[in-house]
Amino acid sequence: MGPDARVVVIGVGNEFRRDDGVGRVVAARLLRRVEKGSLPPHTVVSACDGDPARLIGLWEGARLAVVVDAAHARPATAGRIHRIELDAERLGQASSTSSHGLGLGEAVDLARVLGRLPEHLVVYAVEGSDASMGTGLTAAVAGVVEPLADAVEGEILRHRAAWAGGGR
């Protein structure tokens, strides 16, 4: 596949549960970058509630899928980002890092069984501190939105450069 291979970014979360909405906020930021032309035109940016079937449908056929989601950790460090790489060729057992009951871990497991994983899957999981009802991110999580959008953009550009150069 060449540099025009399909790339998807999926922001997972519930915008009405405070920090759980971080994936959607990052996706909205990246969508503006696509519209301005700073991201490649074949980049598809979507938001999702984390339902496994919807996640699989969004990343199916992608060479690279980047998922941004909130994560639970005990004790949590609000705003800490975890980057997890999963290659379809050497995928181990996934663990659910999502803040949702069902979600990313189950989607990866199901997609593996169905043969519908993207070639390369990168997950950015952001630790939150407040998943109560309400809108708006806490200050710690809001503070990582722009750097995280930059990291996802860099991820996309690195992969596309490698494809153009004949790499994986």
Side-chain angles (χ1 to χ4, degrees), residues 2 18 21 30-31 40 49 58 62 65 68 119 133 148:
R18 310 263 314 156
L30 290 164
L31 184 57
D49 61 3
L58 289 169
V68 180
E119 183 177 317
M133 296 300 287
L148 184 51

Side-chain angles (χ1 to χ4, degrees), residues 4 13 29 32-33 57 69-70 76 80 88 93 102-103 106 116-117 132 136 143 145 159-160 165:
D4 290 336
R29 188 78 42 102
R32 285 195 295 273
R33 292 181 187 194
D69 195 3
R80 181 169 40 190
Q93 191 67 15
L102 287 176
E106 290 78 10
R116 293 173 61 186
L117 278 168
S132 65
V145 167
H159 277 82
R160 293 182 71 86

Side-chain angles (χ1 to χ4, degrees), residues 77 79-83 124-127 144 147-148:
T77 302
R80 181 169 40 190
I81 300 169
H82 303 269
R83 182 182 177 280
Y124 285 92
V126 181
E127 291 183 29
V144 302
L148 184 51

Side-chain angles (χ1 to χ4, degrees), residues 38-99:
S38 63
L39 279 173
H42 296 292
T43 303
V44 177
V45 180
S46 302
C48 180
D49 61 3
D51 176 75
R54 282 190 278 281
L55 282 166
I56 292 168
L58 289 169
W59 71 41
E60 185 174 16
R63 183 148 189 205
L64 170 66
V66 180
V67 176
V68 180
D69 195 3
H72 281 303
R74 299 278 185 245
T77 302
R80 181 169 40 190
I81 300 169
H82 303 269
R83 182 182 177 280
I84 305 156
E85 270 187 89
L86 304 169
D87 284 332
E89 297 171 356
R90 54 185 172 86
L91 187 63
Q93 191 67 15
S95 62
S96 181
T97 58
S98 174
S99 63

